[in-house]
Structure formats: C-alpha cells, structure tokens
Amino acid sequence: MEKIYKIIGLVKEGNLVVMEGGLSTAEQTELIETTMREIDVEDDVENFIGIDINTLDKDSSSFFGFLKKKTVITVIGPADVVKTVEKQSNFLSMVAEINKNES
Amino acid sequence: MGFFDFIRNLFKNKQKVSIGLYGHPNSGKTTLANTIASDSFGKNIGLPSNVPHETRKVLKQEKVVIKENGKELSFDIIDTPGIATKVDYKNFLEYGLEVDEAKDRAKEATKGIIEAIKWLEDVNGVLLVVDAIDDPLTQTNITIIGNLEARNIPFIVVANKIDDPKANADKIVSVFPQHTVVPISALKKDNIEELYKEMFKKFN
C-alpha cells in the first residue's frame, strides 16, 4: 500500500492531495487505518489529527443501464486545514487554511 | 461432551449470526444496542454518552433474541467504536475533560477505529447507524458500505434520531436508494418494530 503511505506522507506535511478518480474500497479502508496509526496526540504544536476526504462524483450508466456513481476527483487534506466543504451534484467547494503555521 | 453434543454444537455454531453496529461516533450505536438488548433480556450492554468516542472498545453481547409474529431471531450484537477519519483530543476538552484524559481518550479512539474495521471480517450482518440530523454522504459511510458490498455482508441503513426536529430521514433514503433504510429513534424506541421486521428479512 505504497500509494496510501505516499498520500498520508503528503497530507502530514500539510498538503492537499488532489487525485483524478477515486480510491478503491480496500484503499479507503487502508487510508483510514493508516491515518489512525499516524495520529499523534503528544505534540501540541503540529500534531496530526487526521484527514478530510472529499470526492466529486458523477452518475454513469453501466452496461445494463443502471445508474452508478463514479468518482471524478478526490481531495484529501489534513483535517485541521480543511475548514468548509460545500458539495452539490456537479460542484465541490473547499475552503482550506494553508500555511497556518507560517503566519 | 459426547460425540452427538459435539456434532450438535458444530451445527449450532455454523448458524450463529453476529450483527455489527457500525457508523460515525455519536450516531447512536450504543443506544440502539441497548434498546435491542433491553427488549431481549431487559439489560443494557453499554453506556451511551454525548461525548464522542464513548465506545472505544468493541462491546459484544451474545444470545440476543428478538421476536416478530411468533418467530425468533437469535444473534450476537457487536457494538463497535464509531469510525472517523479524524480524532482531535482538543474536541474532548469542550466536554469538560482534562488534557491528559482527553489525550488518552483520543489514543484509545484511534485504536478502537482500527478494531472496528477489523471486526468487519467477523460479522455476517450489519446495522449501519446514521445520524438523521447530519449529512449521510460521508467518506466513513461510503467506506463502510463499500466494504459490506465487497464482502457480501447484508446490511440495513438505520436512520437514527428521528425524534429530533432537525432530523431528515428522507434525505438518507434519497442518498441510499438502492439500500434498505429504516428511520428510527433508538432513544424513544420509535419504529423499532419496523427495524426488527427488516432484520428478520435480512439476517434470518
């Protein structure tokens, strides 16, 4: 699960990771488990408290004509950086506080 | 134990149903577990609380029985810690916890979330408890449902807290149109009979 460690590493550095498409169920589960192992409650200054995951999905019809959600974009960021998220069927808006430790 | 008892127990164990209660912290899993357990044998199994992550270890209650139209469904309840993508000990300070107490709670909560995910391998039915006041389309709910579908585990989406005026169970129905959604209030025991009816259909 190199992909998951890479995502967590980037997010822990304060980055927002924007991915085309989505994560598989196994990857989503691994992401939550890894996040829980990485949460640090000892360091009061720059502690990692977890992640925020948001996706933009669109309806896509399968071979049999059933409507199915397909993830177009996935945005993963540090939970203390992502402030507000607004989601509609074809619209994802996020407000993040970047470089909060440099101000 | 004689040979025939051994064979009987072997078949009994094969029929054993373990129903996991999954969902976000504070969605009402333990309240629902208590409601089901108290209907079965008049006793609670956990301590519900307004402070998030009150349940930080899996609580298991064996041999819970619910009845419907003269039929019985026997199962074990697995009340799991709420699953989240973030745990900030500072949130617990708002509930009057001391810093050390809050940090310990956060550490235990992270372990509890991992434990809850591991238990997905051992349940054969799930009640996904969703707070009807909140937006149901969260990464946590999506991940839980994805896991259940991938493992072919039957589940019911329980839209809890419908006694709250801010609750919007219709939204949960519209978000999960392909799944069975039962609106209830675990606290007030509203519509619990309907939930039991669906549990008989799904888990029997």
Side-chain angles (χ1 to χ4, degrees):
Chain A
M1 286 288 176
E2 204 179 314
K3 183 177 175 182
I4 299 304
Y5 285 111
K6 190 170 183 181
I7 292 170
I8 294 285
L10 287 165
V11 171
K12 280 187 81 174
E13 288 168 11
N15 297 299
L16 283 176
V17 179
V18 182
M19 295 165 50
E20 194 178 338
L23 295 168
S24 69
T25 298
E27 287 171 337
Q28 290 169 23
T29 311
E30 186 68 27
L31 184 62
I32 295 176
E33 282 189 75
T34 309
T35 299
M36 290 305 124
R37 288 196 187 92
E38 293 289 321
I39 284 179
D40 178 16
V41 298
E42 294 305 332
D43 184 350
D44 285 341
V45 185
E46 293 178 57
N47 62 332
F48 177 61
I49 61 163
I51 57 172
D52 251 323
I53 313 170
N54 288 285
T55 58
L56 182 62
D57 304 314
K58 72 168 186 180
D59 289 331
S60 69
S61 52
S62 69
F63 181 75
F64 297 104
F66 294 114
L67 277 181
K68 220 183 154 188
K69 291 274 182 204
K70 190 182 171 194
T71 301
V72 187
I73 289 174
T74 303
V75 185
I76 305 167
D80 57 345
V81 163
V82 179
K83 296 299 172 194
T84 56
V85 179
E86 195 186 333
K87 226 174 148 179
Q88 288 167 21
S89 58
N90 59 351
F91 170 86
L92 173 67
S93 158
M94 295 174 69
V95 177
E97 187 187 345
I98 302 170
N99 295 334
K100 66 185 176 78
N101 296 321
E102 290 175 15
S103 58
Chain B
M1 181 169 52
F3 176 72
F4 289 108
D5 287 334
F6 172 75
I7 296 292
R8 196 182 300 132
N9 283 340
L10 198 69
F11 279 101
K12 208 186 272 179
N13 286 341
K14 274 197 170 177
Q15 292 166 350
K16 199 172 178 180
V17 178
S18 293
I19 298 179
L21 273 70
Y22 277 85
H24 277 266
N26 268 17
S27 58
K29 296 176 294 301
T30 303
T31 305
L32 178 57
N34 285 341
T35 297
I36 297 171
S38 67
D39 277 352
S40 175
F41 51 83
K43 213 176 84 178
N44 287 345
I45 66 167
L47 184 71
S49 161
N50 288 331
V51 186
H53 297 285
E54 181 65 30
T55 307
R56 299 184 294 285
K57 283 188 174 164
V58 168
L59 301 173
K60 186 175 178 184
Q61 178 62 56
E62 295 184 326
K63 293 176 185 164
V64 177
V65 179
I66 57 171
K67 293 172 185 163
E68 209 253 336
N69 281 342
K71 289 182 291 179
E72 284 191 352
L73 175 65
S74 175
F75 54 91
D76 296 345
I77 290 182
I78 314 295
D79 181 22
T80 68
I83 297 179
T85 58
K86 56 191 163 194
V87 179
D88 187 356
Y89 81 86
K90 293 187 191 88
N91 289 344
F92 304 136
L93 303 176
E94 295 166 16
Y95 295 88
L97 271 70
E98 297 295 327
V99 171
D100 284 347
E101 210 180 345
K103 285 183 174 179
D104 286 346
R105 193 182 188 92
K107 276 185 213 165
E108 288 168 10
T110 58
K111 287 180 189 150
I113 291 169
I114 295 170
E115 193 190 0
I117 293 170
K118 296 277 181 237
W119 263 91
L120 280 168
E121 292 166 14
D122 296 306
V123 294
N124 37 27
V126 162
L127 298 175
L128 174 58
V129 185
V130 177
D131 187 334
I133 303 162
D134 297 334
D135 180 6
L137 209 53
T138 63
Q139 189 58 44
T140 296
N141 288 336
I142 291 167
T143 303
I144 295 171
I145 289 177
N147 267 282
L148 298 174
E149 287 178 333
R151 295 161 199 257
N152 284 323
I153 299 172
F155 66 97
I156 298 168
V157 180
V158 181
N160 191 24
K161 305 189 186 179
I162 58 165
D163 56 301
D164 192 300
K166 295 191 289 296
N168 186 355
D170 290 343
K171 186 173 181 185
I172 298 171
V173 174
S174 70
V175 165
F176 303 116
Q178 67 278 45
H179 303 303
T180 305
V181 180
V182 183
I184 66 155
S185 165
L187 189 67
K188 301 274 171 72
K189 298 192 172 188
D190 292 342
N191 218 26
I192 292 294
E193 294 305 321
E194 188 59 33
L195 176 62
Y196 290 169
K197 210 180 280 179
E198 289 300 330
M199 286 171 73
F200 267 88
K201 281 187 206 162
K202 287 270 179 188
F203 308 135
N204 208 358

